[in-house]
Amino acid sequence: MSKYFFLARVLAMPILESKFLRKEFEDLVAVRDVSLSLEKGNVLALVGPNGAGKSTWLKMITGLLRPTSGTAVIDGIDLIDDPRGIHRKIGFLPDFFGLYDELTVSQYLEYFCLTYKIPKSSHTEVIQSCLKRVNLISKINSPIEHLSRGMKQRLGIARSLVQDPPLLILDEPTSGLDPDARHDLHQLFLQLSAMGKTLIVSSHVLTELQEYCSHVAVIQTGKLLSFGTIEKFLNQGGKTASFDVRFLGLVDAQIQELQKIVADYGTVTLVKSEHAELELTLNSESQYLLLKDLLAHGFRVHSFALKQGSISEAYVKATRRGPDDV
Ligand SMILES: Nc1ncnc2c1ncn2[C@@H]1O[C@H](COP(=O)(O)OP(=O)(O)OP(=O)(O)O)[C@@H](O)[C@H]1O
Ligand SMILES: [Mg+2]
């Protein structure tokens, strides 16, 4: 194998491959043979009802819970062959985590530096860099008990970054946070993804998935009901999706031209010229091209969004339909 071919294969290697992971607790099958794979920079939203098996699957991947059968390969390391090796590859924020309120932020992260056997000489640099990444550097000397809930979540994420792992697993990191704090965390997920980290985030807040994830996995009674990109999830295997498009300063004379352009991409189901609003159904893969075309023709596009409610509808469809790839 040539050096370049080998390099190309390594770069394309998935960061996570879950291979038929299964967990049984006596008679209960909590996770049923879950298989999926993620690449560098992917952000997976893991959704499903209470008791679906999300946390159990996450604990298996992190090496905290031994699978009944199946395995996972993380950044080239097999979970069954080398569970300790897996710990170095993953930063994990469990659904419930303690923060040692009496410590300061910096003392807390120092503790994790020691746990991960990071050389003493690098501690200050590692602590500062983790806190900068989660935008908490101003609190470096504050006692943890003085932090708000959102800050504590960010400190939990900082802790998961201490070893600089390629994969971050965050089990309900936004639970109990207000919309602003959730939005801040979503922005942080995007920043981490842009840095090349792969993230798995379990969440019950469906309406915000689009803000931060590239992929969605739906789990119910231990089964992976659907897995794919957020676009495919919203499309539910169909070829079309509905969008609301709004324009600035659209005049009646432009409507005909607009209809002509849009007709090449999909079906215009409704044009409400009085509000400069367009509701259209189109092949969702062509949405980017349509937007480009509209801008090239000088239309001032104010917003171009999937219709509200799509996510909840997609979730209901996925959980009613049964196992399938979307
Ligand atoms: N240690 C255990 N022993 C026995 N049963 C368990 C254990 N851990 C989890 N379970 C069961 O496995 C199933 C899946 O639980 P899990 O915690 O993975 O669900 P979840 O999707 O994370 O739910 P939630 O959204 O409420 O966090 C549940 O029926 C739960 O009761
Ligand atoms: Mg859970």
Side-chain angles (χ1 to χ4, degrees), residues 19 70-86:
K19 297 179 173 178
T71 189
V73 179
I74 289 139
D75 205 18
I77 296 183
D78 189 291
L79 172 70
I80 304 296
D81 296 345
D82 186 4
R84 280 181 174 273
I86 291 288

Side-chain angles (χ1 to χ4, degrees), residues 168-322:
L168 294 175
I169 296 186
L170 313 173
D171 197 355
E172 296 193 43
T174 60
S175 76
L177 298 187
D178 68 34
D180 277 350
R182 285 207 299 271
H183 178 73
D184 285 353
L185 269 198
H186 296 159
Q187 295 306 308
L188 174 61
F189 300 159
L190 293 176
Q191 285 162 18
L192 293 169
S193 152
M195 284 163 40
K197 304 279 178 208
T198 304
L199 278 84
I200 303 180
V201 181
S202 89
S203 174
H204 286 288
V205 188
L206 294 174
T207 47
E208 293 168 4
L209 296 186
Q210 266 173 296
E211 268 195 27
Y212 64 90
C213 73
S214 62
H215 289 70
V216 180
V218 182
I219 295 196
Q220 192 178 36
T221 54
K223 276 188 236 130
L224 183 64
L225 294 188
S226 79
F227 168 66
T229 62
I230 176 86
E231 289 84 7
K232 278 189 178 172
F233 173 70
L234 292 169
N235 239 353
Q236 287 300 304
K239 285 204 165 29
T240 60
S242 297
F243 294 85
D244 279 325
V245 188
R246 289 171 193 221
F247 300 87
L248 284 177
L250 189 72
V251 293
D252 281 351
Q254 290 176 291
I255 297 288
Q256 238 185 346
E257 188 192 357
L258 182 62
Q259 277 179 312
K260 242 171 94 183
I261 295 172
V262 173
D264 284 343
Y265 292 88
T267 323
V268 184
T269 50
L270 183 68
V271 176
K272 292 183 257 176
S273 59
E274 66 274 22
H275 299 303
E277 224 175 85
L278 181 68
E279 187 179 316
L280 53 90
T281 309
L282 77 163
N283 180 326
S284 66
E285 277 161 26
S286 58
Q287 62 182 286
Y288 311 102
L289 296 172
L290 171 60
L291 179 58
K292 217 168 121 188
D293 215 357
L294 290 173
L295 295 173
H297 280 83
F299 287 101
R300 294 162 66 201
V301 178
H302 177 255
S303 64
F304 195 118
L306 263 168
K307 280 182 66 179
Q308 284 290 324
S310 298
I311 289 189
S312 313
E313 282 166 23
Y315 177 76
V316 169
K317 269 193 203 165
T319 49
R320 288 205 181 138
R321 199 183 47 209

Side-chain angles (χ1 to χ4, degrees), residues 44-69:
L44 174 72
L46 179 63
V47 299
N50 290 130
K54 301 180 296 295
S55 297
T56 305
W57 181 63
L58 296 179
K59 281 182 197 150
M60 285 195 283
I61 296 170
T62 50
L64 294 175
L65 193 63
R66 200 175 164 76
T68 307
S69 57

